[in-house]
C-alpha cells in the first residue's frame, strides 16, 4: 500500500476512534441511546447494541470528517 | 529534534516496508522493574472483575442500567462530571510523570507495552531466542516451521480471547459471562465486543507492536512538549563512549584511542523500537531502559564502570545541576491534589438520594366539592445509596398543606421509583395564585440521608 493511502486510512480512522470514545462518554451520559434506537423502530435492540451502534456512528462521522480534512488539506498543499 | 523533522522521518519510514524487529531478551534492574509493572497491571486487569464487594462486582460499568459501580460508589449518568474530572486527573498525572521522568508511562505501564511484553515472552518461549527466531523466519516454508508458527499464533489467540472476555467482563457481570461463553449463549453484542477487543489485542501486541508507538500514539507525538532540560531521559554518554570500537579486555584504551563503547550493538538488538540510542535522543525511544540493562552487563564484563547508557537529564549532560522541584512540577502537583481531593470530597458528600418533582401539565389546579384546592404531581425518588431505605415525605410552604402519599416510601438500593402525588390546601391558606412549596425527603434509618426540592402550588387567581 502506498504512503498516501496508508496515511489517509490511519489518519482518518485512528484519531476519530478516540473522538468516538470521548463523544460516547459525554453524549450517552446525557441521553440513553436505546431511547433513540427505539424511536427509530429498533425496539428489539438490546442496550449494549444501542451503545455499540451509537459508538460506531460517532466513529464513522468523525472518520468521515477526518478523511475529508486530509483530502482537502492535501489539495491545498499541492496547489 | 524539530517536529517537522520528526514528521518527515515518520512519513518516510511509513513508506518503507516495515522490517520485522526481533528484540533480544534482556535481564537487569530495569527489566525486573518492567516485569513487576507488567505483572501488577495485568494482575489488576484480569483479576479485578472477579472481585466482589457487598455481593457485587467491585468494578462494573452496567450500561443497560446506566450505573457505574466503582469500589463502594455508584456513579449515575448525572455524575459524569466526576469521571471527567478523574480523567483530567489522569492526564495531569501523566504530565507530571513525563515532566519528571520522561516516558516512564511508555516504558513500564502503557497497555501497548504491557501486552506486547507478554506476546514477546510467548514468542520467545515458542520460537526461541532472537537468533533462533531470525533463523526460523529465513527458512523456506516447511512442516516444522508451520508447526512452530501455528503453536505461537494459537497461544496468542487464546490469550487474546481471554483478554477480550475480561474486557466484556467489565460491562457484563463476569461470573455470568463465563458460563455463557462456555455454552455458546453469549448475546450478539457481547460476542461482537469480545471478538473486537480480542482482535485488537492480537493485532496491536502481535503484529503492530512498535508501530503503534511510532505512528499511532498521540502521546508520543506531544510528549516532547512536556519534557524540559530537567526531565529524566535515557542517553548514551558519547564523551565517555566514543570513539567506539572492538577491543580485547586487556587492551589499553588510551593507546588504542578508544572510548568505553565496545560497539557490540547489543543496545540496538534489545531495543523494542529498533533504534540506536548512541545516535542521540530520538522520538522513537519509549524509555524502556532495556539498553541500559544490556550495556551495564557489557561494562561489567569488560570491567569498565557502569552507566555508559543511563537515565540522566539534559542539564546534567551539559554539566549543570538538575532541579527536580521546578515551578511546572509544583503546579502539576498542586492541581492534581486539589482536583483529586475535590472529587473525593464531593463524591463522599454528595446526596445519596434525589427527589424530582414534576407538576402535572394537564391542569393547573382542581377544586374539589368541599372547596379544597388540589395540585397533582409526579415525583421521582432515586436512592443512590448501597442499601435500601424507607423515607418520609413532608411538604411545607403553605399552612395546612396535606399530601396523598402515605409514608414510609420504600426504595431499594440503587433504584428509582416514580409515583403520583396529590397536594391539597384550603383556599384561605393561599396567599397568591402561585405559591412556592418545599418537599423534604428524610430517610427513617439515617438522619444524614435527606434531600429537599422546591416546587410550585397553583391556585385560583383570586383565592
Ligand atoms: S551496548 Fe553499550 S557497549 Fe555495546 S554498543 Fe551499545 S553502548 Fe556500546
Ligand atoms: S533506545 Fe533504549 S530505552 Fe529507548 S526504546 Fe530503545 S532500548 Fe528502550
Amino acid at each position: 500500500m502506498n504512503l498516501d493511502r496508508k496515511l489517509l486510512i490511519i489518519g482518518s480512522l485512528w484519531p476519530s476512534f478516540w473522538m468516538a470514545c470521548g463523544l460516547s462518554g459525554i453524549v450517552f451520559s446525557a441521553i440513553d441511546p436505546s431511547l433513540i434506537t427505539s424511536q427509530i423502530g429498533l425496539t428489539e435492540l438490546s442496550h449494549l447494541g444501542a451503545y455499540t451502534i451509537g459508538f460506531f456512528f460517532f466513529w464513522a462521522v468523525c472518520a468521515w470528517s477526518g478523511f475529508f480534512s486530509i483530502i482537502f488539506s492535501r489539495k491545498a498543499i499541492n496547489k | 529534534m524539530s517536529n517537522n523533522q520528526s514528521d518527515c522521518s515518520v512519513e518516510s519510514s511509513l513508506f518503507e516496508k516495515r522490517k520485522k524487529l526481533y528484540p533480544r531478551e534482556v535481564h537487569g534492574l530495569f527489566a525486573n522493574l518492567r516485569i513487576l509493572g507488567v505483572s501488577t497491571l495485568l494482575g489488576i486487569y484480569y483479576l479485578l472483575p472477579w472481585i466482589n464487594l457487598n455481593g457485587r462486582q467491585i468494578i462494573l460499568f452496567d450500561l443497560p442500567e446506566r450505573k457505574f459501580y466503582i469500589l463502594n460508589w455508584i456513579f449515575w449518568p448525572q455524575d459524569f462530571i466526576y469521571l471527567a474530572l478523574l480523567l483530567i486527573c489522569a492526564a495531569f498525572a501523566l504530565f507530571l510523570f513525563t515532566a519528571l521522568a520522561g516516558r516512564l508511562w511508555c516504558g513500564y505501564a502503557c497497555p501497548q507495552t504491557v501486552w506486547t511484553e507478554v506476546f514477546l515472552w510467548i514468542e520467545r518461549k515458542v520460537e526461541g531466542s532472537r537468533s533462533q527466531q531470525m533463523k526460523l523466519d529465513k527458512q523456506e516454508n516447511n512442516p516444522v516451521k508451520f508447526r512452530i508458527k501455528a503453536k505461537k499464533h494459537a497461544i496468542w489467540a487464546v490469550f487474546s480471547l481471554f483478554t477480550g472476555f475480561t474486557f466484556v467482563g467489565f460491562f457484563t457481570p463476569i461470573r455470568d459471562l463465563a458460563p455463557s461463553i462456555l455454552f455458546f449463549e453469549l448475546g450478539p453484542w457481547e460476542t461482537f465486543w469480545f471478538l473486537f477487543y480480542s482482535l485488537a489485542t492480537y493485532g496491536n501486541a502481535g503484529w503492530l507492536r512498535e508501530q503503534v508507538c511510532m505512528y499511532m500514539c498521540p502521546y508520543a507525538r506531544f510528549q516532547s512538549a512536556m519534557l524540559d532540560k530537567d526531565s529524566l531521559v535515557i542517553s548514551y554518554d558519547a564523551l565517555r563512549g566514543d570513539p567506539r570500537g572492538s577491543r580485547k579486555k586487556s587492551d589499553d584504551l588510551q593507546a588504542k584511542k578508544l572510548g568505553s563503547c565496545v560497539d557490540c550493538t547489543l543496545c540496538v538488538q534489545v531495543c523494542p523500537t529498533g533504534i540506536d540510542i548512541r545516535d542521540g535522543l530520538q522520538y522513537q525511544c519509549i524509555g524502556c531502559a532495556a539498553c541500559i540493562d544490556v550495556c551495564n552487563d557489557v561494562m561489567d564484563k569488560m570491567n569498565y564502570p557502569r552507566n555508559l547508557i543511563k537515565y540522566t537529564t539534559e542539564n546534567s549532560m551539559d554539566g549543570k545541576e538538575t532541579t527536580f522541584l521546578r515551578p511546572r512540577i509544583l503546579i502539576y502537583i498542586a492541581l492534581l491534589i486539589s482536583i483529586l481531593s475535590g472529587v473525593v470530597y464531593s463524591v463522599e458528600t454528595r446526596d445519596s438520594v434525589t427527589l424530582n418533582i414534576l407538576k402535572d401539565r394537564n391542569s393547573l389546579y382542581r377544586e374539589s366539592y368541599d372547596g379544597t384546592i388540589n395540585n397533582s404531581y409526579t415525583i421521582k425518588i432515586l436512592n443512590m445509596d448501597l442499601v435500601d431505605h424507607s423515607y418520609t415525605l413532608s411538604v411545607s410552604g403553605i399552612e395546612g398543606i396535606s399530601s396523598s402519599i402515605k409514608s414510609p416510601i420504600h426504595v431499594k438500593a440503587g433504584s428509582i421509583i416514580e409515583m403520583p402525588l396529590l397536594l391539597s390546601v384550603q383556599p384561605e391558606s393561599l396567599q397568591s395564585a402561585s405559591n412556592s412549596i418545599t418537599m423534604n425527603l428524610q430517610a427513617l434509618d439515617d438522619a444524614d440521608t435527606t434531600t429537599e426540592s422546591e416546587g410550585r402550588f397553583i391556585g385560583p387567581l383570586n383565592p
Side-chain angles (χ1 to χ4, degrees):
Chain A
M1 195 168 8
N2 71 27
L3 169 71
D4 260 19
R5 205 173 297 162
K6 211 167 172 180
L7 277 179
L8 189 62
I9 294 175
I10 296 182
S12 45
L13 284 184
W14 188 235
S16 51
F17 172 79
W18 291 106
M19 291 304 294
C21 293
L23 269 176
S24 308
I26 296 169
V27 175
F28 295 157
S29 64
I31 308 164
D32 185 346
S34 49
L35 289 180
I36 305 173
T37 48
S38 58
Q39 289 271 316
I40 55 171
L42 300 169
T43 38
E44 297 286 288
L45 197 68
S46 72
H47 269 82
L48 192 57
Y51 280 97
T52 310
I53 289 179
F55 169 75
F56 277 93
F57 173 74
F58 287 137
W59 192 1
V61 171
C62 296
W64 190 244
S65 114
F67 176 82
F68 280 104
S69 304
I70 297 175
I71 298 264
F72 291 146
S73 62
R74 249 182 223 176
K75 281 199 178 140
I77 290 167
N78 289 343
K79 257 186 192 167
Chain B
M1 189 177 3
S2 77
N3 266 346
N4 237 348
Q5 256 176 323
S6 78
D7 281 353
C8 289
S9 60
V10 168
E11 297 205 357
S12 59
S13 41
L14 255 181
F15 203 38
E16 290 160 12
K17 194 168 182 315
R18 177 198 173 214
K19 277 199 238 94
K20 187 176 172 201
L21 296 177
Y22 302 87
R24 179 189 274 273
E25 194 174 4
V26 60
H27 303 281
L29 172 67
F30 298 108
N32 289 342
L33 285 177
R34 194 168 38 263
I35 293 174
L36 184 73
V38 168
S39 17
T40 313
L41 291 171
L42 287 183
I44 292 175
Y45 176 78
Y46 290 105
L47 290 180
L48 214 51
W50 293 98
I51 302 174
N52 275 5
L53 183 75
N54 301 330
R56 174 178 56 65
Q57 207 165 303
I58 194 164
I59 293 203
L60 180 67
F61 304 115
D62 189 343
L63 292 179
E65 295 284 325
R66 293 170 68 71
K67 278 185 263 180
F68 287 0
Y69 298 96
I70 299 175
L71 306 175
N72 226 346
W73 293 326
I74 306 181
F75 290 95
W76 301 79
Q78 62 264 38
D79 295 328
F80 179 75
I81 180 75
Y82 294 125
L83 291 183
L85 285 173
L86 286 178
L87 284 179
I88 292 175
C89 282
F92 274 122
L94 193 63
F95 295 165
L96 173 66
F97 289 122
T98 310
L100 267 180
R103 296 178 72 171
L104 202 63
W105 162 260
C106 302
Y108 300 90
C110 173
Q112 180 61 29
T113 307
V114 168
W115 272 303
T116 302
E117 202 62 28
V118 177
F119 273 59
L120 281 173
W121 181 78
I122 296 172
E123 193 166 56
R124 282 191 198 113
K125 286 279 165 234
V126 178
E127 291 190 0
S129 67
R130 169 185 152 94
S131 47
Q132 287 168 317
Q133 289 177 27
M134 289 164 95
K135 218 164 102 194
L136 183 73
D137 280 354
K138 279 209 193 94
Q139 282 175 24
E140 292 285 318
N141 284 339
N142 62 53
V144 178
K145 181 175 176 181
F146 179 80
R147 193 176 47 79
I148 296 178
K149 291 277 174 194
K151 184 173 168 194
K152 175 181 84 176
H153 286 285
I155 301 179
W156 278 1
V158 170
F159 183 72
S160 304
L161 287 172
F162 186 59
T163 307
F165 158 72
T166 309
F167 175 74
V168 180
F170 280 95
F171 296 89
T172 308
I174 202 161
R175 286 161 199 259
D176 305 338
L177 200 64
S180 49
I181 284 196
L182 289 179
F183 299 116
F184 299 100
E185 284 166 356
L186 206 59
W189 296 103
E190 277 96 353
T191 313
F192 170 80
W193 283 111
F194 165 51
L195 295 178
F196 186 87
Y197 201 82
S198 307
L199 200 68
T201 310
Y202 184 80
N204 280 344
W207 294 95
L208 291 173
R209 294 188 181 171
E210 79 288 347
Q211 300 191 87
V212 174
C213 313
M214 285 155 79
Y215 312 124
M216 291 162 75
C217 175
Y219 170 64
R221 287 306 186 86
F222 67 75
Q223 50 91 23
S224 58
M226 289 179 266
L227 296 178
D228 56 29
K229 294 195 162 178
D230 288 312
S231 309
L232 277 185
V233 286
I234 291 174
S235 165
Y236 162 77
D237 186 348
L239 276 180
R240 196 189 127 192
D242 289 356
R244 309 161 195 170
S246 53
R247 78 284 309 268
K248 290 206 199 79
K249 206 169 163 182
S250 52
D251 282 348
D252 177 3
L253 296 189
Q254 293 204 324
K256 284 198 125 187
K257 291 214 173 82
L258 283 174
S260 298
C261 174
V262 301
D263 212 8
C264 60
T265 71
L266 281 176
C267 51
V268 185
Q269 295 177 30
V270 294
C271 179
T273 64
I275 57 167
D276 188 342
I277 189 72
R278 296 171 301 168
D279 297 342
L281 289 181
Q282 291 149 79
Y283 79 92
Q284 293 100 327
C285 172
I286 56 165
C288 69
C291 51
I292 304 188
D293 277 335
V294 79
C295 189
N296 278 341
D297 273 354
V298 178
M299 295 296 113
D300 289 351
K301 281 195 191 111
M302 300 297 292
N303 276 339
Y304 296 164
R306 287 181 146 217
N307 295 333
L308 178 57
I309 305 178
K310 62 178 175 211
Y311 271 111
T312 180
T313 65
E314 260 192 86
N315 269 343
S316 102
M317 279 190 276
D318 297 341
K320 293 182 197 144
E321 216 174 287
T322 301
T323 1
F324 281 108
L325 287 181
R326 34 201 202 279
R328 70 191 296 178
I329 300 289
L330 296 175
I331 294 173
Y332 286 150
I333 294 178
L335 279 171
L336 199 59
I337 293 179
S338 40
I339 301 181
L340 209 55
S341 39
V343 169
V344 172
Y345 175 78
S346 110
V347 169
E348 279 297 331
T349 53
R350 75 189 159 154
D351 287 345
S352 51
V353 58
T354 62
L355 170 66
N356 273 319
I357 314 166
L358 281 172
K359 176 109 181 49
D360 183 359
R361 289 183 199 281
N362 292 332
S363 66
L364 287 176
Y365 67 92
R366 237 173 290 141
E367 211 172 331
S368 20
Y369 63 94
D370 60 354
T372 331
I373 309 290
N374 302 313
N375 275 203
S376 50
Y377 306 80
T378 303
I379 61 164
K380 268 190 196 172
I381 301 171
L382 172 60
N383 175 7
M384 297 194 282
D385 213 349
L386 293 164
V387 287
D388 301 358
H389 282 298
S390 294
Y391 304 94
T392 48
L393 180 81
S394 54
V395 189
S396 57
I398 302 171
E399 216 194 301
I401 190 163
S402 71
S403 132
S404 66
I405 290 182
K406 297 285 162 276
S407 299
I409 311 161
H410 192 73
V411 188
K412 284 208 161 68
S415 306
I416 191 165
I417 64 159
E418 216 179 279
M419 54 203 308
L421 165 72
L422 190 75
L423 295 180
S424 324
V425 292
Q426 294 304 323
E428 52 275 16
S429 317
L430 291 174
Q431 307 291 329
S432 65
S434 172
N435 307 268
S436 125
I437 50 169
T438 308
M439 292 189 204
N440 177 283
L441 197 69
Q442 170 67 55
L444 289 173
D445 51 352
D446 182 2
D448 292 334
T449 305
T450 176
T451 186
E452 261 183 14
S453 250
E454 299 284 318
R456 300 217 71 84
F457 188 97
I458 311 289
L461 273 180
N462 301 306

